[in-house]
């Protein structure tokens, strides 16, 4: 097996056994479904406060209304949840004082960092799939009936939004490396969310990679394909910075 294969297998086992990734998966999948289900039921009963919070989504009925609610919740919670998990995946070596042992391994540290990022992306794809399936189960439980073929595009947007939310959280990996711990990554995630909110209010969010996914998921016509493609630059740049930081990492500073 190649050095990357070994590193990927090891990091995969770490993530699978970690309480943080398990808790994040449960909170995102079950938490989003529970909140969306409650808000959907409240909206259908005419709760004025919930209808006011939902905005345009309150005007949608049935499956369209449920998915619109799920998209709003995922857009708000996804980046924070993924940023915290990635900060742990990368920063745990510093928090647990195991980073020194990596210097003695025959696998390059840059390879280990790349494996961590790849495991993270695979895990987020799994979370996206699990959330989509959970929403499909939730609809009939709320009395919406079986989903029709017309929902394919909406469910695809949900899965894509989940993965894109994970991608724009990747600067947390570099921050956790430079800051040598979990908290710098979490702090960076919070800053990303705050700046994204500011750009959305300013009206320039479609061109801002950290804001575009949420805008696109809620209103696809407001974000062009070119603007959405800029999101891919975030994990590319963050990944390169993280791998380089691990490659040049020194224990004395």
């Amino acid at each position: 097996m190649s050095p990357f294969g070994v590193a990927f297998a090891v990091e995969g086992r770490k993530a699978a056994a970690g309480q943080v990734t398990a808790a994040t998966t449960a909170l995102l999948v079950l938490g989003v479904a529970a909140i969306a289900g409650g808000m959907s039921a409240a909206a259908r009963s005419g709760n004025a406060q919930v209808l006011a919070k939902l905005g345009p989504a309150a005007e949608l009925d049935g499956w369209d209304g449920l998915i619109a609610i799920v998209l709003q919740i995922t857009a708000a919670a996804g980046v924070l949840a993924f940023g915290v998990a990635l900060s742990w995946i990368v920063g745990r070596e510093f928090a647990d004082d195991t980073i020194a042992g990596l210097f003695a391994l025959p696998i390059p540290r840059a390879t280990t960092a790349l494996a961590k990022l790849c495991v993270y992306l695979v895990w987020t794809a799994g979370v996206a799939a699990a959330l989509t399936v959970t929403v499909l189960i939730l609809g009939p439980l709320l009395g919406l009936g079986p989903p029709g073929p017309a929902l394919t595009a909406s469910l695809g947007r949900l899965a894509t939004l989940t993965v894109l939310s994970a991608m724009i959280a990747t600067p947390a990996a570099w921050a956790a490396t430079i800051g040598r711990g979990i908290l710098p990554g979490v702090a960076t995630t919070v800053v990303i969310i705050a700046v994204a909110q500011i750009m959305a209010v300013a009206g320039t969010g479609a061109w801002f990679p950290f804001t575009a996914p949420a805008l696109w998921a809620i209103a696809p016509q407001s974000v062009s394909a070119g603007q959405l493609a800029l999101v891919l630059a975030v994990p590319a740049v963050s990944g390169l910075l993280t791998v380089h930081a691990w490659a040049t990492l020194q224990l004395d500073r």
Side-chain angles (χ1 to χ4, degrees), residues 79 120-121 160-171 192 196 205-217 223-239:
V79 178
Y120 167 73
L121 292 178
T160 303
L161 171 64
T162 306
V163 174
L164 292 179
S165 297
M167 287 185 177
I168 62 177
T170 50
I192 289 173
W207 286 104
F208 190 57
F210 297 100
T211 307
L215 295 179
W216 168 79
V223 180
S224 67
Q227 291 169 329
L228 193 63
L230 291 176
V231 176
L232 299 178
V234 177
V237 174
S238 299

Side-chain angles (χ1 to χ4, degrees), residues 3-175:
F4 174 79
V6 173
F8 183 84
V10 171
E11 295 301 328
R13 286 195 293 270
K14 287 181 182 179
Q19 294 182 352
V20 173
T21 48
T24 302
T25 302
L27 288 173
L28 269 180
V29 177
L30 301 179
V32 168
I35 295 172
M39 294 185 71
S40 178
R44 293 167 65 189
S45 67
N47 187 299
Q49 292 182 341
V50 173
L51 291 173
K53 292 180 180 180
L54 292 178
E59 301 177 2
L60 301 175
D61 297 323
W63 277 98
D64 291 334
L66 173 62
I67 293 179
I69 294 172
V70 173
L71 287 172
Q72 288 189 8
I73 298 172
T74 303
V79 178
L80 178 60
F82 286 127
V84 171
L86 181 57
S87 298
W88 174 79
I89 290 173
V90 175
R92 62 174 297 180
E93 308 294 352
F94 303 96
D96 296 343
D97 291 328
T98 58
I99 186 66
L102 297 181
F103 281 77
L105 296 178
I107 298 176
R109 293 185 304 280
T111 302
T112 299
L114 180 60
K116 287 178 178 290
L117 294 173
C118 290
V119 166
Y120 167 73
L121 292 178
V122 171
W123 168 67
T124 55
V127 172
L131 178 58
T132 303
V133 171
T134 302
V135 172
L136 283 172
I137 298 173
L138 177 64
L141 293 178
L142 294 175
L144 302 182
L151 287 176
T152 302
S154 297
L155 292 172
R157 286 208 316 278
L158 172 59
T160 303
L161 171 64
T162 306
V163 174
L164 292 179
S165 297
M167 287 185 177
I168 62 177
T170 50
W174 181 65

